[in-house]
Amino acid sequence: MTARAGILFAFVFAVAAHGATTTGGTISARVAPTEAEVGLGFHGVTVRVEGEAPKGRDILLTVLGEREKMTFSSKRKAWAFWIAGEKVAFENAPALYIIKSSAPVGDVLPESKAREMALGKEGLIASLASSPSPVQLLGAREMVRLQRKLGLYETDGGGIMVNSDGSWAVDVNLPCRAPIGSYEITAVAVRGREVVSTASAQFVLKPSRSVALLAGFARSHGFVYGAVAVLLAIMSGLAAGGLFEKK
Amino acid sequence: MDVYLPVAAMTANLGLLVGLGGIVGFLSGLLGVGGGFLLTPFLIMMGIDPVVSAASGTCSLAGASASGTLAHLRAGNVDVAMGSFLLAGGIAGGGFGTWLVKLLRSQGSADVVIIAAYVILLALVGIVMFVEGLLSRVRSEAEEKKETALCRMLQRLPLGRDFPASGVRTSALAPVALGFLVGVMASLMGVGGGFFLIPAMTFALGMPIRVVVGTSLFQMLFTSAFVAVMQAGLNHGVDIILAMGIFAGSTAGARLGAMAARRVNASQLKLLLALMVLGLSLKMLNDLLKSPALIFAAGGR
């Protein structure tokens, strides 16, 4: 990600902190629940985000996972087969990106502004590309398509219900593949295609003790974990064999 | 009931995993095939990472082959000397295969290579099973015991020795090479290699079928255990919840399959399974040849 895009992300999320905060005093955002556990029965979580805004505002909401370096391999055709080609890395790409809106993003903000603030599909692609070159933009576009397929990026918008009194709400579904970590939730109020205020909140997805133990053990002590897994499988196999023999 | 797979980092339906293990185990008990070659592609189709699918399948295979190995050992149906040479090759092949997976994964081509290997493997297995199914009624036992030209060729290789438990003489290099190939297949595809090893031991080494099955299981147990540990250590690919879910289903399925084998016409079923395997191979080949929907694949973070 470029320094330019970094500054833009920083602009959008500058007010991020624990709990809900607002700027401009015109929009608020609350999250419920503020955290969820990824246990062995986890199959995604729905987070309710709601708040208040003056009447007549359009609202955009983004949910961003922690930023990290992501590396992808492009595919190229060799003979008749599609094989791995060059590697493409994206610095500081959000692990998850969801945008919600009270109206189509293109209707709420001018395209240039949406790109500048990394809002919507085109804005996200522009922010991911390290340069505006066609190759970088193509790479970023494909990366977004891949993440969308995995359910980790949602760029279509929509879903925010705004009531006549200015209160608004939206349900955000975090998929079962949502990475463990903290999520920055930012609500943006727009009037006359201009951003007038922002509010932010945080949601944390944390592993349950069993998941943390298993995943951590598998990653930090891979060989020992493998030996334990195999031993457990063999013992279960022997036990099952004994059980069936008795019957 | 959904269950979160901590290493695969996704949710899967536990009933589906146990059911899949059960189907594979049932076919294994019914037809005498290991079933690992069917398991991994189905796990991949469920959206589980190919490396995690293969590694976890291998781990469950170690459990599934444990009780069979013990039973055959007790019955004296294991040629431990032959099994040890197979195992030596299997461990070398397993180590090489795991390193290969790590290399391919770092280049982002693990998916393509695993799927391509499966296309070839499933096509071969399908053809062999189809031919076997057709010939099983007409082939006499005397023909099966006949020493093949390959047997005689392997006997002339250096390091020849007797294997009294099997009643054969062959070069020690032959079982080591066979074991190596099975080890590579186990790492790359999560298969035990029984479909390859059993005919190879019969036709290339000239071993009697009574000892072949027990020795194959013996080799499979240790090779799959070694490969699973290596996969967990080098590629972080073993998901214990996934492996145990498959194992639970396959153990029960294998017993049911063994019971059903006494009542049904196995040769007809073998033909049906052969057609299914060939169909799966064609589907995977089509996936490999057609333009991908995405020109990106995750290449590690």
Side-chain angles (χ1 to χ4, degrees):
Chain A
M1 194 172 67
T2 58
R4 179 179 61 89
I7 293 165
L8 294 172
F9 268 125
F11 165 72
V12 176
F13 307 115
V15 289
H18 280 286
T21 58
T22 62
T23 57
T26 55
I27 184 170
S28 64
R30 293 180 300 277
V31 180
T34 54
E35 61 177 45
E37 264 197 358
V38 177
L40 291 177
F42 181 73
H43 49 81
V45 61
T46 300
V47 179
R48 180 116 178 133
V49 188
E50 57 189 6
E52 287 80 33
K55 289 178 190 173
R57 304 287 193 272
D58 280 313
I59 295 163
L60 296 168
L61 182 109
T62 54
V63 181
L64 268 89
E66 290 176 4
R67 285 181 278 279
E68 57 188 24
K69 181 182 178 181
M70 291 187 189
T71 307
F72 296 86
S73 290
S74 60
K75 291 179 185 172
R76 65 184 174 85
K77 201 167 188 178
W79 298 87
F81 298 99
W82 284 89
I83 62 167
E86 280 181 34
K87 275 188 172 184
V88 185
F90 297 98
E91 304 287 344
N92 294 323
L96 180 135
Y97 179 95
I98 294 174
I99 185 163
K100 298 284 182 184
S101 59
S102 56
V105 179
D107 295 349
V108 176
L109 278 178
E111 195 181 316
S112 58
K113 191 71 180 171
R115 281 174 185 267
E116 189 186 313
M117 295 181 68
L119 293 171
K121 187 176 169 185
E122 296 306 318
L124 178 62
I125 290 166
S127 75
L128 288 167
S130 58
S131 70
S133 73
V135 174
Q136 272 292 324
L137 288 171
L138 177 68
R141 191 172 294 280
E142 284 297 307
M143 184 268 204
V144 170
R145 284 181 68 198
L146 175 67
Q147 295 293 83
R148 273 166 60 102
K149 196 181 173 196
L150 294 172
L152 294 171
Y153 282 12
E154 200 183 305
T155 54
D156 293 337
I160 296 181
M161 299 296 295
V162 183
N163 298 316
S164 53
D165 61 354
S167 63
W168 60 273
V170 62
D171 285 333
V172 179
N173 295 314
L174 298 187
C176 62
R177 282 180 188 263
I180 285 163
S182 61
Y183 292 84
E184 292 297 339
I185 298 171
T186 304
V188 178
V190 180
R191 186 180 56 191
R193 293 167 76 81
E194 287 290 330
V195 174
V196 290
S197 67
T198 63
S200 69
Q202 196 175 52
F203 172 78
V204 179
L205 200 55
K206 59 181 188 182
S208 69
R209 284 189 67 180
S210 53
V211 166
L213 193 73
L214 280 172
F217 188 29
R219 192 144 288 278
S220 57
H221 301 89
F223 285 105
V224 182
Y225 166 85
V228 171
V230 165
L231 203 64
L232 194 65
I234 290 174
M235 282 166 62
S236 306
L238 293 176
L243 196 73
F244 281 112
E245 264 178 35
K246 277 181 191 169
K247 285 188 175 179
Chain B
M1 180 194 165
D2 288 341
V3 64
Y4 186 75
L5 308 173
V7 172
M10 62 174 284
T11 299
N13 186 289
L14 185 62
L16 195 60
L17 290 180
V18 174
L20 190 57
I23 292 168
V24 169
F26 183 79
L27 291 173
S28 162
L30 186 65
L31 304 170
V33 293
F37 65 90
L38 278 177
L39 183 67
T40 310
F42 278 117
L43 292 176
I44 294 170
M45 283 178 196
M46 281 172 68
I48 297 170
D49 178 90
V51 176
V52 176
S53 299
S56 306
T58 311
C59 184
S60 73
L61 196 68
S65 52
S67 63
T69 304
L70 189 65
H72 280 282
L73 264 174
R74 282 179 181 156
N77 291 341
V78 178
D79 185 337
V80 176
M82 183 70 86
S84 302
F85 280 106
L86 284 165
L87 189 57
I91 286 174
F96 172 74
T98 309
W99 170 81
L100 189 64
V101 169
K102 190 178 171 70
L103 180 73
L104 293 170
R105 209 178 187 188
S106 70
Q107 294 174 343
S109 52
D111 299 14
V112 175
V113 173
I114 289 175
I115 293 169
Y118 257 106
V119 169
I120 297 166
L121 177 75
L122 291 175
L124 285 175
V125 172
I127 291 166
V128 168
M129 285 175 80
F130 193 78
V131 172
E132 266 199 357
L134 286 176
L135 294 180
S136 59
R137 289 179 186 169
V138 292
R139 196 165 51 195
S140 70
E141 204 174 308
E143 278 177 309
E144 285 187 3
K145 282 184 180 170
K146 200 172 152 185
E147 195 176 72
T148 60
L150 186 58
C151 272
R152 290 192 292 278
M153 196 185 83
L154 292 175
Q155 283 165 7
R156 286 196 288 272
L157 288 175
L159 299 178
R161 56 162 290 166
D162 289 317
F163 292 92
S166 301
V168 297
R169 179 178 175 77
T170 190
S171 166
L173 294 176
V176 170
L178 281 180
F180 186 85
L181 284 175
V182 170
V184 174
M185 284 196 284
S187 309
L188 209 57
M189 296 176 274
V191 297
F195 63 89
F196 165 77
L197 199 54
I198 289 175
M201 285 161 90
T202 311
F203 298 116
L205 305 181
M207 290 169 68
I209 193 73
R210 174 183 63 82
V211 187
V212 161
V213 175
T215 309
S216 165
L217 273 174
F218 172 83
Q219 188 271 353
M220 202 183 292
L221 165 63
F222 289 101
T223 303
S224 53
F226 172 76
V227 168
V229 173
M230 291 295 284
Q231 289 276 35
L234 290 179
N235 297 323
H236 307 295
V238 174
D239 193 303
I240 198 165
I241 305 291
L242 176 61
M244 295 309 285
I246 298 162
F247 167 77
S250 67
T251 307
R255 299 283 162 172
L256 290 173
M259 284 193 285
R262 296 180 204 125
R263 298 180 188 175
V264 297
N265 185 331
S267 63
Q268 282 180 358
L269 279 173
K270 206 170 237 181
L271 285 175
L272 272 178
L273 182 68
L275 290 174
M276 197 176 88
V277 167
L278 285 170
L280 190 60
S281 167
L282 286 175
K283 192 217 170 281
M284 292 182 100
L285 178 65
N286 180 51
D287 290 347
L288 210 58
L289 292 174
K290 75 176 181 191
S291 299
L294 294 162
I295 59 162
F296 265 23
R301 286 179 179 180

